[in-house]
Amino acid sequence: GEFPGDKFSGEGYLYWSDPFRGITIYDTENPKLYEIPHEKCQLVKAMYFDKDNILWFSNISMNGSSLGFNKTIFTNDYFKSYPLFSSDTEIPSVYAIAKDKAGFIWVGLRGQNPLLRIAPDGKTNTVMIPASIPVNEGGAIRSLTYEGKGRWIGFYMKLLLYYDIEKQYFTKHD
């Protein structure tokens, strides 16, 4: 049926994905629906829409292979995909996406080096978690919360870290 946009009273964007139709975005300021077809996104794992009209999403193919981490800017046909690197025994997948006040996008992955940071200019770097912290036991990063001078990083299984951005130091919390 038709989307009942007049019944949505929130601000900003309302967005969702469907495994067969793709991603749908509703812009409340200019009441309009945008669609990213299924062929472009397949199965969406995580999404984040920021205030700069950028939709970030991770996705996998219908057979479970990672398709990467994607940046969609709602201007004239701009699309950027960030390949995800992992070991030979892992299938990379994104489970958490957040943006800090400096404009960096933080990406929580599954695997040995699960924290990625994308600068406003598009440059990507892996934030290395010390080997003394057993990230493999924690599963995938599931939440990234910016707080003051750092980032709280919550894992799937009983692992919570605080990363002091300025000092580039991790603290494990039990």
Side-chain angles (χ1 to χ4, degrees), residues 24-40:
T24 304
I25 301 121
Y26 177 68
D27 181 351
T28 61
E29 291 181 23
N30 305 307
K32 184 176 178 184
L33 281 175
Y34 298 94
E35 293 184 350
I36 299 174
H38 167 79
E39 296 77 36
K40 299 281 186 189

Side-chain angles (χ1 to χ4, degrees), residues 61-140:
S61 71
M62 296 303 282
N63 67 8
S65 298
S66 175
L67 296 175
F69 185 57
N70 306 281
K71 175 182 182 180
T72 305
I73 301 175
F74 288 89
T75 60
N76 293 328
D77 300 321
Y78 179 85
F79 182 84
K80 169 91 173 142
S81 181
Y82 292 86
L84 301 174
F85 302 102
S86 64
S87 73
D88 293 339
T89 60
E90 298 172 335
I91 298 173
S93 214
V94 174
Y95 289 96
I97 307 166
K99 187 175 185 179
D100 66 23
K101 292 180 181 180
F104 287 86
I105 294 291
W106 293 77
V107 181
L109 307 164
R110 170 178 59 201
Q112 185 63 36
N113 296 307
L115 190 56
L116 186 69
R117 191 171 82 159
I118 302 172
D121 66 3
K123 291 183 180 163
T124 304
N125 74 310
T126 299
V127 179
M128 300 304 290
I129 297 173
S132 60
I133 298 174
V135 294
N136 286 338
E137 294 174 15

